[in-house]
Amino acid sequence: QYEFFSEQTGTFVIEVDVTPVAQGLNLVIGLSDGVPTGFSDMSAAVRLFTDDFFDVRNGGNYSAIEDVGYTASSAHTIRFEVDVPNNTYDVLIDGTQIADNFDFRTGAEASALSYVSVLDGATPGTTGSTVDTMVLLPVTVEEDVVLTVFTADEDEPAAPDAPPLSIHILQA
């Protein structure tokens, strides 16, 4: 559910290409300093929410400056533009800016970021739960990593025909 990348202490960009396997998700993709144990450890976070829209963590709440929806089986690019020294970030979804100078999550301010994570906000086995376990390949700055989603008790990807989630970490 998480992967280490080279510690970033300045400004940097990370892009995540995601193809949701269903509508009505409650899935969070975020950046943290250290191995995350839950949502509260994610300094910068984008949520695919149950209303079929993306929103972004801004201090103590989720919001977006523009409404951008997601669609099952359609690829979307999430671009984090991160300013670690100021604990702020911007987010673009498919080129549309939905967060401008948003604050890191309250209580998760950081002087460095080194993990990207994907967490399912729904309880396994309930409506909206599509991610139980994940496999991440190693990633370093300027390298790609592919995340394949598996459902519990299966050896095959949850959506074998859908492209996997890929993560690109770029230097600013």
Side-chain angles (χ1 to χ4, degrees):
Q1 295 181 346
Y2 60 86
E3 183 60 42
F4 174 80
F5 58 86
S6 299
E7 183 176 89
Q8 302 294 307
T9 58
T11 59
F12 70 101
V13 173
I14 182 169
E15 290 183 344
V16 179
D17 295 324
V18 61
T19 302
V21 297
Q23 297 298 122
L25 299 175
N26 187 8
L27 190 74
V28 177
I29 299 167
L31 309 176
S32 62
D33 177 21
V35 176
T37 59
F39 298 114
S40 62
D41 294 329
M42 293 182 171
S43 299
V46 173
R47 180 173 66 174
L48 287 76
F49 199 47
T50 57
D51 62 1
D52 299 332
F53 284 90
F54 291 95
D55 55 12
V56 180
R57 191 70 185 202
N58 185 11
N61 300 297
Y62 281 97
S63 63
I65 60 173
E66 292 287 333
D67 289 336
V68 175
Y70 66 86
T71 304
S73 301
S74 295
H76 301 281
T77 299
I78 302 169
R79 180 181 175 95
F80 290 87
E81 298 176 351
V82 184
D83 181 346
V84 176
N86 290 309
N87 278 220
T88 59
Y89 63 114
D90 302 340
V91 173
L92 290 84
I93 305 292
D94 299 327
T96 299
Q97 189 164 12
I98 68 167
D100 181 23
N101 203 37
F102 276 25
D103 291 325
F104 281 9
R105 182 186 194 105
T106 304
E109 296 83 0
S111 59
L113 296 175
S114 57
Y115 285 84
V116 60
S117 307
V118 181
L119 296 176
D120 186 358
T123 302
T126 64
T127 302
S129 176
T130 58
V131 178
D132 291 311
T133 59
M134 289 173 254
V135 176
L136 282 166
L137 302 178
V139 62
T140 58
V141 172
E142 299 182 355
E143 247 181 60
D144 294 348
V145 66
V146 175
L147 171 98
T148 304
V149 178
F150 292 84
T151 57
D153 303 321
E154 292 183 10
D155 294 326
E156 296 296 320
D161 297 329
L165 181 116
S166 61
I167 301 168
H168 313 279
I169 300 175
L170 312 166
Q171 291 289 357

